[in-house]
Amino acid sequence: MDKRTQTGLLIALIAILVSCCVISNSHSNLETKRESFVFQTMGTVASFTFEDSDSNSFRKNCTIARKQFDRILNIANLYDKNSELVRLNNSAYEKDFICSNLLWQMILEAEKAYYFTGGAFDITVKPLMDVWGFYRKKEKIPSDEEIKAALQKVGFNKLHLDKKRKSLRFTVPGMALDLGGIAKGFALDLAAEKISPSGRCILNLGGNLKFSGGKHPFYVGIKNPSSPDKLFPHRIEVPTGFAVSTSGDYERFIKYNGKLYGHIIDPLSGYPVSGKFSATVVIPSAARADWLSTAVFLKGQSLADKAQKSFAGCRIILVKK
C-alpha cells in the first residue's frame, strides 16, 4: 500500500477511535467505500466501520451490532438499579441469585480468568474500586486499614457457584461484582457473531477492537505510553476474526494531592498499579483479550508468556516507558 493510501485510511479512522490503538488497513485504497457509525455507550465511545457495504446492509448491521451492545449494558451496568448485575450485587449474600444465560457465560469466563491469572483478574474487585473512589470522586486516598477491610470482601474463590442451576451466592457480606474488565469484550464478540458484513468491518468499544470480513489482515498502531498522542512506527498485523485490547495506566486515573493513581487496581494487593507502560493482546476472543490485557498489565512478562503458550493465536506486546 502506498503512503497516500495509508495516510487516507489513518485520518479516516483516527477521527472515530478513542483507544490505545489506531487502525490501518494494508489492502484498502482511497476509492474504498467506508461508512462509520459513532455513538456513546457503557461510559465510553463506540464505533462501527464497514468497508464496501451498501447503505441498507450498513444500517442493518449497525442496528444488529448495537442491539448486542445494549444486551450487555442491560446486564452489566452498575449505574442502573434495574440491571441484572445491580440486582445480583444487592441480593446475592442473602440468597442464591439465578443468572441469565448471558450473565452466566460472563461469570464462567471470569472464573477461568481468575484461576489462569492467579487472581490478577478478579470481578469481585468492586469493594476496592469503591474504597478508592473510582466510581465516585473522593477527597482522599483510602487508609491501609480501609484497603485491608475491602480486601476481605474480594476474591472469586469466595463465591459459591451452582453450575447446574446457574446461580451465584456471596459467602462474605459486602461482596460485589464489577464486570467492567470483561463486558466490553463480550459485547464485541456477540456483535461480531450476529452481523453479516459484505466487506470488512471494525467494531470498536472504548478501544477494544474486533475485526471481521475479508481475507486480508488489518494493521494496528500502538500508542506510546510516554506520549499517548503519538504512535510507535511499527504496526502489528491482526488477522480478520481477531480482537485487540490494550490496557495502560496513562489515560484513566484519579488525582489526590497532586499524585496520579491509575484506574487498574491489583486485586491481590488492593493498590493501583502504575509504571507508564501498556499491554496489548491480540487473540480471537474479544472477551479474552479484554481480561488478559488487564491481567498482563498487572503481572507482566511471565503471564504474557503463559498466555501465548496456552491460547492459540495469542500475541502479547508489552510496551514500557
Side-chain angles (χ1 to χ4, degrees):
M1 180 175 65
D2 62 39
K3 290 184 178 179
R4 285 193 314 118
T5 303
Q6 232 175 27
T7 302
L9 181 62
L10 196 58
I11 290 172
L13 289 170
I14 213 168
I16 65 166
L17 294 176
V18 283
S19 66
C20 298
C21 304
V22 176
I23 317 312
S24 176
N25 181 338
S26 69
H27 291 271
S28 296
N29 56 60
L30 293 175
E31 288 71 41
T32 297
K33 180 183 177 182
R34 298 184 194 90
E35 291 189 86
S36 297
F37 173 53
V38 185
F39 59 100
Q40 290 188 319
T41 187
M42 299 189 196
T44 188
V45 177
S47 63
F48 306 143
T49 300
F50 291 87
E51 289 185 352
D52 295 325
S53 180
D54 64 76
S55 295
N56 288 335
S57 176
F58 171 73
R59 288 192 294 269
K60 180 180 178 181
N61 281 310
C62 285
T63 299
I64 292 170
R66 185 161 189 179
K67 182 178 179 180
Q68 305 313 309
F69 282 18
D70 289 343
R71 288 178 69 193
I72 297 297
L73 181 62
N74 290 336
I75 290 172
N77 188 356
L78 284 172
Y79 301 96
D80 178 359
K81 66 180 181 180
N82 295 315
S83 75
E84 187 174 6
L85 183 60
V86 170
R87 290 187 283 112
L88 183 156
N89 284 340
N90 288 340
S91 65
Y93 179 65
E94 299 169 354
K95 59 182 179 179
D96 289 352
F97 185 90
I98 307 297
C99 301
S100 68
N101 286 335
L102 196 50
L103 175 58
W104 188 248
Q105 289 175 37
M106 284 191 273
I107 288 171
L108 291 182
E109 183 68 19
E111 180 183 35
K112 294 176 187 176
Y114 176 78
Y115 289 107
F116 183 84
T117 65
F121 182 85
D122 192 342
I123 59 172
T124 71
V125 74
K126 188 177 184 297
L128 285 168
M129 300 290 284
D130 285 329
V131 80
W132 275 97
F134 283 108
Y135 303 114
R136 298 285 186 266
K137 185 177 180 181
K138 295 185 69 174
E139 303 265 330
K140 62 183 182 66
I141 64 172
S143 66
D144 291 342
E145 290 74 19
E146 289 174 310
I147 293 170
K148 185 176 180 180
L151 280 170
Q152 300 305 308
K153 307 169 189 175
V154 173
F156 194 98
N157 58 340
K158 295 178 176 137
L159 300 177
H160 174 72
L161 304 183
D162 185 331
K163 295 188 177 180
K164 290 185 178 180
R165 300 178 65 225
K166 298 182 181 178
S167 69
L168 177 152
R169 187 162 187 166
F170 298 146
T171 63
V172 175
M175 291 188 74
L177 307 185
D178 180 341
L179 298 173
I182 201 168
K184 293 183 181 67
F186 254 89
L188 288 169
D189 285 333
L190 278 176
E193 288 173 9
K194 298 294 184 180
I195 61 174
S196 301
S198 55
R200 292 155 64 79
C201 172
I202 303 166
L203 304 178
N204 167 45
L205 182 51
N208 292 350
L209 306 163
K210 181 82 175 188
F211 304 90
S212 63
K215 299 178 181 179
H216 302 299
F218 296 77
Y219 289 83
V220 175
I222 301 175
K223 288 186 177 182
N224 184 339
S226 300
S227 303
D229 59 333
K230 298 179 181 179
L231 295 175
F232 286 106
H234 178 68
R235 293 170 185 168
I236 57 175
E237 183 176 287
V238 182
T240 188
F242 274 58
V244 177
S245 180
T246 296
S247 291
D249 64 347
Y250 50 87
E251 290 195 331
R252 290 178 57 199
F253 48 81
I254 54 175
K255 188 175 183 179
Y256 294 128
N257 296 325
K259 184 176 180 180
L260 299 180
Y261 295 84
H263 74 289
I264 300 177
I265 291 181
D266 183 345
L268 299 172
S269 71
Y271 290 85
V273 174
S274 60
K276 286 289 183 184
F277 74 98
S278 67
T280 297
V281 176
V282 181
I283 198 169
S285 165
R288 190 154 292 173
D290 201 355
W291 62 256
L292 255 183
S293 64
T294 300
V296 171
F297 175 80
L298 291 171
K299 298 195 79 171
Q301 191 65 56
S302 60
L303 183 59
D305 292 342
K306 179 182 177 182
Q308 290 177 130
K309 292 176 182 177
S310 302
F311 301 126
C314 179
R315 284 183 294 144
I316 299 178
I317 299 93
L318 284 175
V319 177
K320 298 184 180 180
K321 183 177 178 180

